[in-house]
């Protein structure tokens, strides 16, 4: 028997070696050396089919390390996490169609219904887009994001161990990146002007870095609540993360941390959803107030004095006075974005088309030194961003999804007695509110660093709900016996 196994292994090895040599010869002959990677890709696919959990956890570990890579001016990706997303999306579809892995009770969950509405409306808007090809690319990316970070986790998060591995792996991976960033930043004297250099190439800028970093705080708090043995080590991690957050010089992340602390208090008092609804109402009221008699014009900037400050103290003072360059440019795009809505309020301009359409709607008095927007960045407010590109139904479906996630986080926190799942639902609720706070000043739900966490929170809440119901049903069954 042993000889038979050895013979079988030798046969497999020889076949694989022959395939590799064949592809290597083709690569040399055609001078296309990437062809030599194909056999390893085939091996990865085979291994992924047998161990899809491993590939998913590898994706989670890769999130803080991934870099932006552009093939040309119109095609870019995030490496290595986006190829992992594609692989996981394909694996999920294969599992569903060939092994019937999807359960009706999972797909029938209310949060899945809300995600379907949110995604379905994006599909509806694509044919009406001002640039349907760009919107189609957005739709495809959104598809594999949802498959990788919502639907595949539902097959994996069947127990607390899988959730622990995902959360712990992400935390450790991010902490290693944070230490690297802190060491690099220290070599520049922790200067505000050098923070973007320190976070590259893993993050586009300090805003993206701080947005993902602040989301580690609720994971650490949940870990502290669950753990009994390593609380000193966890407390040290909290100190490192908070110190790194301060040194990121990102005002949005600081605001998100404050929102997170308030959200922690709100979850305990079952007021989280109510606070979210109140925030939406206040924001709408403020927008109408600014629009009356063109009040918003009084917040226009002085083109000559609105500059970027390399000194952080001056940067904060300028922010307070609305003289900071980034704040002024946000106002410029917000004003343009609101003016865009009246012309296409139902269907929007199409996913990922803001840049192509907004400049005719800008007002000269809000113009800044960076209004040429060479980076092709967007409106810097995700709620307004969705409204512009997907119309009022798109914004409504996103708000319903977010509200549903917050509802489940506080509902499960109250209902579940299990200490682990209680801490997880608390962490999800706090993280969602932090992500919303960050996205009031940016558009990061579509990014791999923050968008992944937002959708992972949805998957985690669904899994916790289903696991808790399963446990209750099991206990009831034992009582009947």
């Amino acid at each position: 028997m042993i000889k038979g196994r050895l013979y079988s292994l030798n046969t497999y090895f020889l076949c694989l070696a022959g395939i590799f040599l064949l592809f290597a010869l083709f690569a040399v002959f055609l001078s296309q050396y990437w062809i030599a990677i194909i056999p390893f890709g085939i091996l990865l696919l085979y291994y992924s089919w047998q161990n899809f959990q491993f590939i998913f956890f590898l994706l989670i570990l890769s999130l803080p390390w991934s870099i932006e890579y552009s093939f040309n001016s119109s095609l870019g990706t995030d490496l290595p996490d986006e190829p992992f997303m594609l692989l996981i999306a394909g694996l999920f579809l294969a599992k569903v169609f060939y092994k019937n892995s999807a359960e009706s009770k999972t797909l029938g969950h209310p949060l899945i219904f809300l995600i379907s509405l949110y995604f379905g409306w994006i599909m509806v808007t694509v044919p009406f887009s001002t640039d349907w090809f760009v919107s189609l690319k957005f739709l495809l990316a959104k598809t594999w994001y949802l498959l990788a970070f919502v639907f595949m986790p539902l097959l994996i998060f069947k127990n607390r161990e899988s959730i622990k591995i995902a959360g712990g792996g992400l935390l450790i991976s991010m902490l290693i990146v944070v230490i690297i960033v802190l060491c690099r930043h220290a070599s520049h004297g922790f200067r505000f002007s050098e923070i973007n250099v320190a976070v590259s190439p893993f993050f586009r800028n300090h805003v993206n870095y701080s947005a993902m970093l602040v989301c580690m705080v609720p994971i650490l708090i949940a870990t502290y609540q669950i753990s009994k043995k390593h609380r000193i080590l966890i407390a040290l991690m909290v100190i490192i993360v908070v110190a790194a957050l301060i040194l990121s010089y990102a005002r949005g992340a600081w605001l998100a941390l404050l929102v997170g602390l308030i959200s922690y208090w709100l979850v305990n008092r079952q007021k989280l959803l109510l606070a979210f609804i109140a925030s939406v109402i206040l924001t709408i009221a403020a927008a109408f107030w600014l629009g009356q008699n063109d009040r918003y014009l009084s917040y226009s900037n002085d083109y000559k004095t609105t500059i970027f400050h390399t000194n952080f103290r001056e940067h904060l003072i300028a922010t307070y006075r609305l003289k900071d360059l980034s704040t002024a440019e946000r106002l410029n795009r917000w004003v343009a974005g609101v003016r865009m809505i009246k012309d296409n309020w139902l269907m929007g301009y199409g996913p990922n088309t803001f840049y192509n359409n907004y400049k005719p709607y800008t007002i000269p008095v809000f113009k800044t030194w960076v209004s040429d927007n060479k980076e092709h960045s967007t409106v810097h407010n995700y709620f307004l961003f969705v409204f512009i590109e997907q119309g009022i139904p798109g914004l409504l479906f996103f708000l319903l999804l977010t509200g549903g996630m917050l509802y489940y986080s506080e509902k499960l926190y109250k209902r579940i007695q299990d200490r682990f799942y209680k801490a997880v639902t608390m962490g999800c609720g706090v993280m969602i509110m932090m992500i919303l706070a960050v996205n009031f000043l940016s558009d990061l739900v579509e990014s791999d660093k923050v968008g992944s966490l937002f959708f992972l929170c949805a998957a985690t809440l669904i899994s916790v709900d289903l696991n808790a119901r399963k446990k209750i049903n099991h206990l009831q069954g034992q009582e009947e016996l």
Side-chain angles (χ1 to χ4, degrees):
M1 185 180 289
I2 295 173
K3 288 183 178 179
R5 286 180 182 174
L6 287 173
Y7 176 79
S8 179
L9 286 172
N10 287 333
T11 303
Y12 279 127
F13 176 78
L14 289 172
C15 287
L16 291 171
I19 291 170
F20 172 73
L21 288 173
L22 183 64
F23 275 91
L25 287 171
F26 271 111
V28 173
F29 180 74
L30 298 173
S31 296
Q32 298 291 329
Y33 298 105
W34 60 269
I35 294 175
I37 303 173
I38 293 176
F40 297 100
I42 295 169
L43 274 176
L44 181 62
L45 284 172
Y46 175 76
Y47 185 78
S48 300
W49 180 254
Q50 302 295 325
N51 302 276
F52 64 93
Q53 297 95 335
F54 174 78
I55 300 301
F56 173 76
F57 292 131
L58 201 59
L59 166 63
I60 298 297
L61 289 172
S62 73
L63 289 173
W65 299 89
S66 291
I67 62 171
E68 294 181 2
Y69 181 81
S70 296
F71 296 100
N72 53 50
S73 59
S74 60
L75 181 61
T77 188
D78 298 298
L79 297 175
D81 62 3
E82 199 153 14
F84 281 141
M85 290 180 217
L86 278 164
L87 176 59
I88 289 169
L91 284 171
F92 173 81
L93 293 174
K95 293 285 181 184
V96 169
F97 289 119
Y98 293 104
K99 290 196 173 183
N100 195 25
S101 298
E103 300 176 12
S104 58
K105 63 181 180 180
T106 301
L107 298 178
H109 195 278
L111 284 182
I112 292 294
F113 174 72
L114 292 175
I115 289 169
S116 300
L117 283 178
Y118 163 73
F119 179 72
W121 183 253
I122 295 174
M123 292 179 67
V124 170
T125 61
V126 170
F128 299 93
S129 173
T130 55
D131 189 338
W132 69 267
F133 182 67
V134 169
S135 296
L136 181 62
K137 288 196 294 184
F138 177 94
L139 176 65
L140 291 173
K142 181 66 75 175
T143 302
W144 58 70
Y145 264 71
L146 291 176
L147 290 175
F149 293 115
V150 176
F151 290 94
M152 182 58 93
L154 295 179
L155 298 182
I156 295 172
F157 292 168
K158 297 291 188 180
N159 52 57
R160 63 182 65 199
E161 290 305 316
S162 56
I163 297 174
K164 280 182 183 179
I165 292 170
L170 175 64
L171 183 61
I172 292 169
S173 183
M174 183 64 187
L175 279 170
I176 295 171
V177 173
V178 167
I179 291 169
I180 292 171
V181 169
L182 286 173
C183 291
R184 294 178 65 186
H185 200 191
S187 67
H188 295 286
F190 293 113
R191 289 191 296 272
F192 168 58
S193 58
E194 302 297 330
I195 180 60
N196 286 337
V197 175
V199 303
S200 65
F202 310 119
F203 296 87
R204 177 182 291 186
N205 51 46
H206 70 126
V207 174
N208 297 56
Y209 165 69
S210 63
M212 190 175 194
L213 179 61
V214 78
C215 290
M216 298 301 107
V217 175
I219 297 177
L220 283 166
I221 292 172
T223 306
Y224 185 85
Q225 290 177 336
I226 296 163
S227 177
K228 293 180 179 179
K229 297 180 180 179
H230 307 293
R231 288 193 163 185
I232 294 175
L233 178 62
I234 297 166
L236 179 61
M237 291 180 183
V238 172
I239 293 169
I240 292 171
V241 167
V242 173
L245 198 60
I246 293 169
L247 292 169
S248 70
Y249 300 109
R251 297 155 296 177
W254 295 355
L255 173 64
L257 182 61
L258 177 61
V259 168
L261 294 173
I262 296 170
S263 299
Y264 183 87
W265 180 81
L266 289 169
V267 172
N268 277 293
R269 284 151 185 79
Q270 298 292 289
K271 302 291 184 184
L272 189 62
L273 179 60
L274 184 63
F276 171 70
I277 294 170
S279 300
V280 172
I281 293 170
L282 284 172
T283 303
I284 295 170
F288 276 107
W289 181 81
L290 287 168
Q292 284 184 343
N293 302 317
D294 295 332
R295 277 196 186 96
Y296 66 91
L297 291 173
S298 62
Y299 294 93
S300 61
N301 62 82
D302 182 350
Y303 182 81
K304 293 181 180 178
T305 60
T306 303
I307 61 172
F308 176 75
H309 296 269
T310 55
N311 180 278
F312 189 66
R313 183 173 177 275
E314 293 175 358
H315 183 62
L316 286 178
I317 294 170
T319 301
Y320 170 74
R321 294 176 178 174
L322 299 180
K323 297 293 183 182
D324 169 59
L325 186 62
S326 61
T327 303
E329 183 57 27
R330 275 187 175 86
L331 291 175
N332 179 40
R333 297 185 198 177
W334 289 358
V335 168
V338 172
R339 297 180 74 218
M340 292 171 74
I341 289 170
K342 67 179 185 297
D343 289 343
N344 216 339
W345 61 271
L346 180 60
M347 302 302 297
Y349 291 80
N352 210 28
T353 61
F354 171 81
Y355 175 80
N356 299 337
N357 294 285
Y358 87 97
K359 288 191 177 180
Y361 291 90
T362 57
I363 298 177
V365 293
F366 284 94
K367 184 180 179 182
T368 70
W369 294 98
V370 292
S371 291
D372 54 351
N373 194 5
K374 293 179 181 178
E375 294 182 349
H376 291 205
S377 56
T378 55
V379 71
H380 290 302
N381 180 301
Y382 189 73
F383 306 95
L384 183 56
F385 177 72
V386 173
F387 199 170
I388 294 164
E389 296 194 341
Q390 299 169 33
I392 194 167
L395 177 60
L396 179 62
F397 291 143
F398 176 72
L399 291 175
L400 283 173
L401 170 60
T402 305
M405 290 165 68
L406 294 173
Y407 167 76
Y408 268 94
S409 66
E410 62 182 13
K411 176 188 175 183
L412 292 171
Y413 182 78
K414 181 181 179 180
R415 191 184 79 200
I416 294 173
Q417 299 304 315
D418 184 282
R419 182 178 168 185
F420 173 81
Y421 286 131
K422 207 172 182 68
V424 168
T425 55
M426 164 72 80
C428 285
V430 172
M431 188 182 295
I432 293 162
M433 288 297 285
M434 283 180 161
I435 290 172
L436 294 178
V438 167
N439 277 279
F440 192 81
L441 298 172
S442 56
D443 329 284
L444 298 176
V445 173
E446 309 306 338
S447 72
D448 60 328
K449 307 289 187 179
V450 177
S452 57
L453 303 183
F454 179 79
F455 292 116
L456 276 170
C457 283
T460 304
L461 289 170
I462 295 168
S463 298
V464 169
D465 189 24
L466 295 175
N467 291 344
R469 288 186 201 176
K470 191 186 298 181
K471 185 176 180 180
I472 291 170
N473 293 336
H474 177 70
L475 292 173
Q476 288 176 344
Q478 285 185 329
E479 288 176 4
E480 289 173 4
L481 291 172

